[in-house]
């Protein structure tokens, strides 16, 4: 019995094809047109209505889920309004999206302090790195070229003697007397003395053996300590201090002024160095 509806449907379908083939230019006569009647056609109508109802129900449920979804609900409502309102709706939709984007940007920017205009990005120092303060380079001392056959060490000692006199605001005549004296006594060498063990432990440029005399001017213990006399600048200062105590030393000859201070066994020996001493002073001072 379950085959009967199917056979009846096939028969009706074949009948319609036959009518269409026989009457290609118009509908068949009314008595040839077969209509569905009976309980089978009614059942099909009921089944069709139920299917439509199920489809509508599922569509409504799907639309409900889409509208309830938090990610899609605002965009869907705004887009529908935009379609209904035309150009004005699209403008409102764009403005709404821009305001939401600005709000999100404002939330993010509020978490970070804004940098002042024109500020340059700074790089943080590495952990443990010490910040070194800029140091000003000290000027290097001027090195004078030796003259008159002097060695560089001898020329440097001559410059030290002249600078010591300049700090005392003495005239150049005093520089000539001092350098002529040092040329005669040590030939501008800072000498230690084999008879003074302490002098051997200090920086020196040679070793002498004249009694207990040390330094550039071969000064004895009554002039100061060994450390003071082995310091070229201090030894020159002490020589100048004794020279200015000589009355009228400015009018004396170089050899007389030097002998008055040194009280040497060879009083005329200083004169031979006067010319070279003057050349050194002219080159430096």
């Amino acid at each position: 019995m379950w085959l009967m509806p199917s056979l009846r449907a096939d028969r009706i379908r074949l009948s319609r094809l036959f009518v269409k083939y026989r009457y290609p230019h118009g509908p068949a006569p009314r008595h040839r047109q077969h209509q569905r009647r009976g309980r089978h056609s009614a059942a099909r109508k009921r089944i069709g209505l139920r299917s439509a109802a199920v489809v509508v129900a599922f569509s409504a449920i799907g639309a409900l889920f889409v509208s309830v979804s938090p990610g899609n609900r605002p965009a869907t409502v705004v887009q529908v309004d935009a379609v209904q309102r035309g150009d004005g709706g699209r403008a409102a939709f764009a403005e709404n999206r821009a305001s939401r984007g600005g709000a999100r940007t404002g939330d993010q920017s509020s978490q970070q302090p804004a940098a002042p205009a024109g500020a340059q990005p700074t790089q943080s120092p590495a952990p443990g790195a010490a910040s070194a303060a800029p140091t000003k380079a000290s000027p290097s001392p001027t090195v004078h070229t030796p003259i008159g056959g002097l060695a560089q060490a001898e020329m440097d000692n001559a410059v030290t003697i002249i600078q010591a006199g300049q700090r005392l605001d003495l005239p150049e005549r005093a520089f000539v007397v001092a350098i002529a004296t040092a040329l005669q006594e040590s030939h501008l060498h800072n000498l230690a003395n084999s008879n003074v063990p302490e002098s051997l432990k200090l920086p020196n440029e040679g070793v002498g053996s004249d009694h207990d005399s040390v330094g550039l001017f071969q000064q004895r213990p009554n002039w100061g300590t060994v450390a003071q006399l082995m310091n070229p600048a201090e030894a020159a200062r002490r020589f100048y201090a004794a020279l200015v105590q000589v009355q009228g030393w400015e009018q004396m000859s170089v050899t007389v002024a030097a002998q008055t201070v040194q009280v040497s066994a060879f009083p005329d020996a200083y004169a031979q160095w006067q010319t070279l001493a003057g050349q050194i002073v002219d080159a430096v001072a």
Side-chain angles (χ1 to χ4, degrees):
M1 293 299 293
W2 59 272
L3 295 175
M4 293 301 294
S6 178
L7 293 175
R8 181 179 178 83
D10 294 338
R11 186 172 63 80
I12 293 173
R13 191 180 299 108
L14 292 174
S15 175
R16 287 180 177 176
L17 291 174
F18 175 76
V19 171
K20 185 177 180 181
Y21 175 77
R22 187 172 181 181
Y23 303 96
H25 301 293
R30 190 171 185 80
H31 67 279
R32 294 292 186 182
Q33 297 180 6
H34 298 279
Q35 297 179 359
R36 295 178 181 177
R37 292 185 178 90
R39 59 186 180 88
H40 298 292
S41 61
R44 287 193 182 93
K45 291 180 180 179
R46 286 196 300 271
I47 293 172
L49 290 176
R50 290 173 184 172
S51 301
V54 170
V55 171
V56 171
F58 275 106
S59 299
I61 293 173
L64 180 61
F65 276 109
V66 171
S67 62
V68 171
S69 174
N72 297 328
R73 181 171 57 185
T76 303
V77 174
V78 174
Q79 289 177 0
V80 170
D81 292 341
V83 172
Q84 292 177 353
R85 296 177 186 176
D87 294 339
R90 285 192 292 270
F93 172 64
E95 182 179 358
N96 190 10
R97 287 190 60 184
S99 64
R100 290 202 305 273
R104 287 194 297 270
T105 305
D107 294 339
Q108 295 175 358
S109 61
S110 63
Q111 300 175 1
Q112 299 178 356
Q120 297 294 331
T122 58
Q123 184 177 2
S124 58
S131 59
T135 57
K136 185 177 180 180
S138 58
S140 58
T142 303
V143 178
H144 294 271
T145 304
I147 62 174
L150 298 179
Q152 186 63 58
E154 297 169 344
M155 188 67 184
D156 293 342
N157 286 332
V159 172
T160 300
I161 294 172
I162 294 174
Q163 291 175 346
Q166 290 173 338
R167 284 191 290 270
L168 296 173
D169 293 328
L170 295 176
E172 294 185 2
R173 179 73 173 178
F175 308 159
V176 175
V177 174
I179 291 177
T181 302
L183 283 169
Q184 172 59 31
E185 298 291 348
S186 65
H187 208 275
L188 290 173
H189 287 90
N190 190 25
L191 297 178
N193 193 311
S194 58
N195 300 321
V196 184
E198 184 180 353
S199 66
L200 300 175
K201 301 176 183 178
L202 298 173
N204 60 81
E205 298 165 349
V207 179
S209 60
D210 183 12
H211 297 90
D212 51 6
S213 303
V214 296
L216 291 174
F217 297 91
Q218 290 293 281
Q219 295 161 325
R220 304 192 70 177
N222 61 307
W223 286 81
T225 65
V226 176
Q228 291 172 338
L229 303 180
M230 292 287 293
N231 184 324
E234 179 62 20
R237 188 192 70 79
R238 290 174 180 268
F239 177 86
Y240 287 127
L243 177 63
V244 297
Q245 296 298 321
V246 177
Q247 181 114 17
W249 68 269
E250 299 92 337
Q251 289 77 34
M252 295 179 181
S253 64
V254 171
T255 187
V256 172
Q259 173 62 18
T260 305
V261 174
Q262 293 294 103
V263 192
S264 171
F266 306 97
D268 298 329
Y270 302 102
Q272 61 181 327
W273 304 107
Q274 180 174 350
T275 302
L276 178 58
Q279 294 174 354
I280 294 173
V281 172
D282 292 339
V284 175

